[in-house]
């Protein structure tokens, strides 16, 4: 495979970015619709919300797989950087899980008041996904990515941290 921008046109990256934003909006709309019937039953509401949040987070974890190599080439990197773009989400997940474990050790009944944690987790996922999408849009616009190559990794780590918070919370 060539390491030139001819091997991966920027319009493909733009399409993946738009697809990611669209899928995120669809998943948030679905989360609202699927949890609405349970708004008066807290147990079912918690279960359905948690399942939907995990589904959204797993989807956000997988979306960059399709665009990571193209972004890697545009950043002047190779396959290892592409793998790092996918893997850094799991590094963030580990950090988020450890952080939630520490919170749960300090306050054992924290799971009873978990709505705010789920909101923070979803915010981190959305922030990381939007940040990564912005990097895709910059790459699609022809911006030289060599000086910005650390930012997509930061975006993936932020996304993973949100995933780790709610995944650890769900184990309680």
């Amino acid at each position: 495979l060539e390491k030139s921008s001819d091997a991966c046109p920027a319009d493909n990256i733009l399409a993946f970015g738009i697809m990611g934003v669209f899928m995120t909006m669809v998943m948030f709309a679905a989360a609202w619709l699927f949890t609405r019937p349970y708004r008066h039953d807290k147990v079912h509401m918690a279960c359905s919300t948690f399942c939907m949040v995990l589904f959204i987070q797993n989807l956000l974890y997988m979306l960059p797989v399709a665009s990571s190599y193209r972004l890697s080439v545009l950043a002047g990197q190779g396959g290892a950087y592409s793998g790092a773009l996918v893997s850094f989400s799991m590094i963030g997940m580990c950090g988020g899980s450890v952080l939630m474990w520490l919170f749960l050790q300090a306050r054992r009944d924290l799971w009873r008041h978990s709505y705010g944690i789920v909101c923070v987790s979803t915010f981190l996922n959305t922030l990381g996904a939007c940040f990564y999408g912005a990097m895709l849009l910059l790459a699609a616009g022809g911006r030289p990515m060599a000086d910005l190559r650390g930012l997509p990794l930061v975006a993936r780590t932020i996304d993973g941290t949100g995933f780790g918070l709610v995944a650890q919370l769900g184990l309680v």
Side-chain angles (χ1 to χ4, degrees):
L1 295 172
E2 294 179 33
K3 285 192 175 183
S4 70
S5 58
D6 296 334
C8 52
D11 58 342
N12 287 346
I13 287 184
L14 182 61
F16 286 124
I18 291 170
M19 179 183 69
V21 170
F22 175 74
M23 288 302 296
T24 303
M25 290 187 316
V26 167
M27 289 300 110
F28 281 124
W32 181 77
L33 287 174
F34 290 132
T35 58
R36 192 166 182 216
Y38 302 118
R39 67 177 174 249
H40 299 295
D41 183 3
K42 288 185 178 184
V43 173
H44 285 98
M45 178 71 165
C47 290
S48 61
T49 301
F50 178 71
C51 289
M52 198 61 182
V53 166
L54 280 180
F55 178 75
I56 291 169
Q57 290 170 337
N58 280 307
L59 181 70
L60 290 175
Y61 169 71
M62 293 307 297
L63 278 176
V65 171
S67 62
S68 65
Y69 186 73
R70 287 179 181 88
L71 186 61
S72 175
V73 169
L74 289 175
Q77 302 296 309
Y81 182 79
S82 174
L85 282 174
V86 176
S87 303
F88 264 61
S89 181
M90 289 298 123
I91 292 171
M93 182 181 177
C94 179
S97 294
V98 168
L99 187 63
M100 179 52 63
W101 182 82
L102 291 171
F103 287 157
L104 289 167
Q105 294 302 311
R107 187 169 168 208
R108 299 218 181 251
D109 66 337
L110 185 63
W111 63 273
R112 293 181 189 269
H113 314 286
S114 60
Y115 177 77
I117 295 168
V118 171
C119 288
V120 168
S121 173
T122 305
F123 172 75
L124 289 172
N125 289 129
T126 305
L127 180 66
C130 288
F131 198 24
Y132 186 80
M135 294 295 110
L136 292 178
L137 291 174
L138 287 173
R143 170 112 165 107
M145 294 300 296
D147 16 324
L148 302 175
R149 66 178 165 245
L151 294 180
L153 298 174
V154 171
R156 296 292 291 152
T157 305
I158 291 169
D159 182 24
T161 302
F163 189 15
L165 286 171
V166 82
Q168 183 68 27
L169 180 66
L171 293 175
V172 175

